Amino acid sequence: MREEAGGHICYFSTKAPKQWPDFLKDHVFHGGRALGCDLATGLFDMILYDKAQKMLICRVDEIPATMNGMAAFNVENALAASAMAVCNGVPLPVIREALRSFGTSYEQSAGRLNMVEREGVRIIVDYAHNPGGLRALGRLVGKLRTGNSSCIGVVGIGGDRRDQDIYEMGEIAASVFDRLILKEDYDLRGRSAGEVVAILRQGALKAGFDASKLEVVLREHEAVERALGSALNDDLIVVTADDIARVWKRVSAPPANELDPLPYKGAIPLQSEIRVF
């Protein structure tokens, strides 16, 4: 990209300086600008390299959105955002304060790693509507798991994705979750009802997921109800939400003393043909 970008290049990396590629080492050695944070060794200082100087931007564990460095993708986001701010002349103290005040609350960043706990069950709402997003989220989920608790995935993906992306989404979900509830977006984006979950289901099963722990509930709000109604104490629910506002309103609402207003009525039979790639 640097060959096409023009201008003065600023890089960022989460690798230790000794592991940088040669072009990055040369760039910094000759006074070029870069940001780094060594995640592998747990040295969580975000450093600005500029004109042969090293300056501390912030420590990762001071940035709420990184969850003490567990959310590596948000460390990358913090580096990229800081790089843009530095290159636009924003003073380091201002950048530092902004990073320290930014978390993953629904109010600050709707649909991006929003977390809540209700009745002993932790819930994550995240858009994660592509394989890369779910893979990154899955690495965090692995760090959040406790004891013998189960992790329930309410997983869907947009119908305008390629078949191979939908299939891969199912494969990744199989490696992350103990139970799967597959659902579809409200806007099918050119697909027929059940088509997306058919491909998701095939990807998960081909990856070795236990069919007895997989359900299909096409409507997102019903899939969320199913997860909430079946979760046990200490379980973790992850929803790759389409209608983020509706999902968040439901999972963050105080539990009612009566039965849930949208009771689960059983999984919808899978009608679409499962395609083989």
Side-chain angles (χ1 to χ4, degrees):
M1 291 177 65
R2 61 179 174 165
E3 296 175 359
E4 303 293 335
H8 299 285
I9 304 298
C10 177
Y11 296 99
F12 69 93
S13 175
T14 56
K15 293 185 177 181
K18 290 182 179 180
Q19 296 178 324
W20 287 352
D22 289 340
F23 74 84
L24 180 52
K25 292 178 181 177
D26 291 342
H27 175 81
V28 171
F29 180 79
H30 290 99
R33 182 178 286 167
L35 284 80
C37 181
D38 180 6
L39 283 183
T41 59
L43 300 176
F44 284 174
D45 290 344
M46 287 176 50
I47 302 295
L48 169 64
Y49 301 84
D50 193 18
K51 297 177 182 178
Q53 298 184 68
K54 290 174 59 176
M55 291 162 278
L56 176 67
I57 297 177
C58 191
R59 281 191 54 83
V60 166
D61 54 12
E62 296 176 322
I63 306 171
T66 71
M67 301 178 65
N68 290 319
M70 288 194 297
F73 52 87
N74 274 346
V75 177
E76 296 169 354
N77 289 335
L79 286 168
S82 299
M84 288 187 284
V86 166
C87 291
N88 280 279
V90 179
L92 290 186
V94 176
I95 297 173
R96 189 174 297 119
E97 183 58 30
L99 292 171
R100 288 171 174 169
S101 64
F102 190 76
T104 62
S105 68
Y106 177 79
E107 292 72 23
Q108 283 190 306
S109 188
R112 302 297 179 186
L113 201 57
N114 309 143
M115 299 183 66
V116 67
E117 182 171 341
R118 51 178 291 155
E119 297 184 301
V121 175
R122 294 170 298 160
I123 305 162
I124 296 175
V125 178
D126 192 287
Y127 188 61
H129 260 45
N130 57 59
L134 185 60
R135 188 177 290 109
L137 183 60
R139 287 192 285 267
L140 173 61
V141 167
K143 299 172 185 176
L144 293 175
R145 296 174 69 104
T146 58
N148 296 318
S149 61
S150 292
C151 187
I152 304 169
V154 182
V155 177
I157 184 172
D160 56 355
R161 298 335 193 238
R162 300 174 303 173
D163 285 3
Q164 56 263 44
D165 295 327
I166 301 173
Y167 185 89
E168 184 181 0
M169 192 84 163
E171 289 182 311
I172 297 167
S175 69
V176 173
F177 303 110
D178 302 304
R179 286 181 48 212
L180 272 176
I181 302 173
L182 302 180
K183 51 90 177 178
E184 292 186 330
D185 290 357
Y186 293 106
D187 182 356
L188 299 177
R189 305 186 191 186
R191 301 271 186 174
S192 59
E195 185 177 355
V196 168
V197 294
I199 303 174
L200 283 171
R201 183 174 184 273
Q202 185 185 31
L205 295 179
K206 287 287 187 178
F209 197 78
D210 186 345
S212 68
K213 297 180 180 179
L214 186 153
E215 301 176 68
V216 172
V217 184
L218 293 185
R219 296 176 182 174
E220 182 174 79
H221 62 277
E222 293 181 355
V224 171
E225 292 297 334
R226 175 58 176 160
L228 291 174
S230 60
L232 302 176
N233 194 51
D234 288 334
D235 280 355
L236 174 64
I237 299 173
V238 178
V239 184
T240 63
D242 172 35
D243 189 341
I244 294 166
R246 181 174 185 174
V247 171
W248 183 252
K249 182 178 180 180
R250 176 65 184 96
V251 302
S252 62
N257 293 326
E258 54 194 34
L259 293 176
D260 289 334
L262 294 172
Y264 172 67
K265 297 181 179 179
I268 298 175
L270 191 61
Q271 302 292 338
S272 297
E273 178 184 357
I274 297 176
R275 288 182 254 174
V276 178
F277 303 99

